[in-house]
Amino acid sequence: MDISVVVPLYNEAESLPELHAWISRVMAENNFSYEIIFCNDGSTDGSLRVIKDLAAADPHVRCVSFSRNYGKSPALNEGFLRAQGDVVITMDADLQDSPDEIPELYRMITKDGFDLVSGWKKKRYDPLSKTIPTKLFNATARKVSGIKNLHDFNCGLKAYKKEVVKHIEVYGDMHRYIPYLAKNAGYKKIGEKEVHHQARKYGVTKFGLDRFVNGYLDLATLWFQSKFGIKPMHIFGLLGSVMFFIGFLATLTVLILKIVSMCSADYHFYVTNSVYFYLSLAAMVMGLQFFLTGFIGELITRNSPERNHYLIAEEW
Ligand code: UDP
Ligand code: MG
């Protein structure tokens, strides 16, 4: 099979027949063998009914359906688990992404050898309240992830080599950072294609402004995981050691001052009046906390069956 189109959707009943007809037309024009996997994320507006009707009339249509709303990332992940095509294409269900981009995306994966090609909505048809924070968000994501050539991390329209989607797990709200997940899994050939974007025709957006707060927290998590995910002691142990060293110096200072004061008749040094005393206490306690966190982190990674799953090895 050439292509799997994975479509996560939450309450998009009105768009689905149009989207299905559009994808089918593009596939037929280009003679692709394909499947469309609709990932219904607990819709309550009859989307599932629409998908069932589409599936009854068209054998290319498959569906995976959640009983409640879990989020776009888990929906995509279910689609990825089931995809059979050599190239996997994701697109939003709201008709904001154009299926006409599919042939070129397919060519970039199969001919140009990209592992992942991300769409870039250069001209966006979204409100300003979304487009301006998005620019900031993408600049930060580029910096932190080191994927310097992407302008639009969160574009719903993306194409992947099949093995890429089989080696990444999209969970929580991590769909915003799939290129970063792919890079961390060892897939570095990441490209970009300018894509047409349209204003939402039916329904409403499912993400509010909290997307930016959550987005930054997730980015911090991913950065931490990629740096220290399998060796947490390397960061916590370092911080703990620095704290202990500061604590040691402060204790030494207290000791010396005390000895000096004991040897002198007119200099009185009270330990509990000294800033160094409190510094040594605080630093020692914090140092210990860092070390304990590091040990617990190591125990968790040691017992995790996935501790070596990040390795993608080839064998001859
Ligand atoms: N979506 C989903 N689960 C959710 C929220 C969104 O499957 O909990 C789908 C939604 O139906 C759409 C895609 O994710 O197909 C992108 O959502 P939306 O268009 O609301 O995002 P925006 O374009 O406003 O960034
Ligand atoms: Mg949308």
Side-chain angles (χ1 to χ4, degrees), residues 114-177:
F114 284 106
D115 295 320
L116 186 166
V117 178
S118 181
W120 173 20
K121 297 162 285 186
K122 193 168 183 188
K123 177 108 191 64
R124 285 184 73 131
Y125 293 89
D126 280 322
L128 270 187
S129 62
K130 198 187 243 172
T131 49
I132 291 174
T134 296
K135 282 215 160 67
L136 210 69
F137 161 89
N138 279 307
T140 319
R142 269 197 298 277
K143 191 100 200 132
V144 174
S145 68
I147 308 173
K148 299 200 172 65
N149 59 331
L150 286 197
H151 294 84
D152 192 0
F153 276 73
N154 191 17
C155 183
L157 184 54
K158 287 189 172 62
Y160 309 81
K161 261 191 199 138
K162 182 196 203 167
E163 63 164 292
V164 176
V165 303
K166 302 294 180 190
H167 277 109
I168 57 176
E169 188 185 357
V170 197
Y171 64 96
D173 271 345
M174 291 299 181
H175 59 267
R176 300 194 177 95
Y177 299 112

Side-chain angles (χ1 to χ4, degrees), residues 92 94 96 200:
D92 291 351
D94 53 4
Q96 290 197 273
R200 222 180 211 285

Side-chain angles (χ1 to χ4, degrees), residues 193-260:
K193 176 186 186 309
E194 260 182 54
V195 294
H196 289 286
H197 186 241
Q198 304 186 53
R200 222 180 211 285
K201 200 164 163 189
Y202 308 106
V204 290
T205 177
K206 309 301 181 308
F207 296 101
L209 282 179
D210 57 346
R211 68 169 69 199
F212 296 108
V213 180
N214 297 338
Y216 276 106
L217 294 176
D218 284 341
L219 188 60
T221 303
L222 275 188
W223 171 82
F224 184 82
Q225 280 178 354
S226 73
K227 285 249 183 254
F228 306 107
I230 48 158
K231 39 183 197 284
M233 198 53 169
H234 286 196
I235 179 69
F236 291 112
L238 177 71
L239 289 172
S241 304
V242 169
M243 279 297 164
F244 261 122
F245 187 63
I246 294 172
F248 170 75
L249 289 182
T251 314
L252 206 64
T253 313
V254 172
L255 265 179
I256 292 172
L257 290 174
K258 188 70 197 169
I259 292 168
V260 170

Side-chain angles (χ1 to χ4, degrees), residues 7-12 19 39-43 66 69-76 91-97 121 124 126-127 130 154 156 173 175 197 200 204-208 211:
V7 183
L9 64 112
Y10 177 50
N11 293 346
E12 310 280 5
L19 181 70
C39 308
N40 173 36
D41 186 13
S43 299
F66 291 151
N69 181 240
Y70 284 103
K72 186 177 177 184
S73 294
L76 279 172
M91 66 171 62
D92 291 351
D94 53 4
L95 295 167
Q96 290 197 273
D97 300 329
K121 297 162 285 186
R124 285 184 73 131
D126 280 322
K130 198 187 243 172
N154 191 17
D173 271 345
H175 59 267
H197 186 241
R200 222 180 211 285
V204 290
T205 177
K206 309 301 181 308
F207 296 101
R211 68 169 69 199

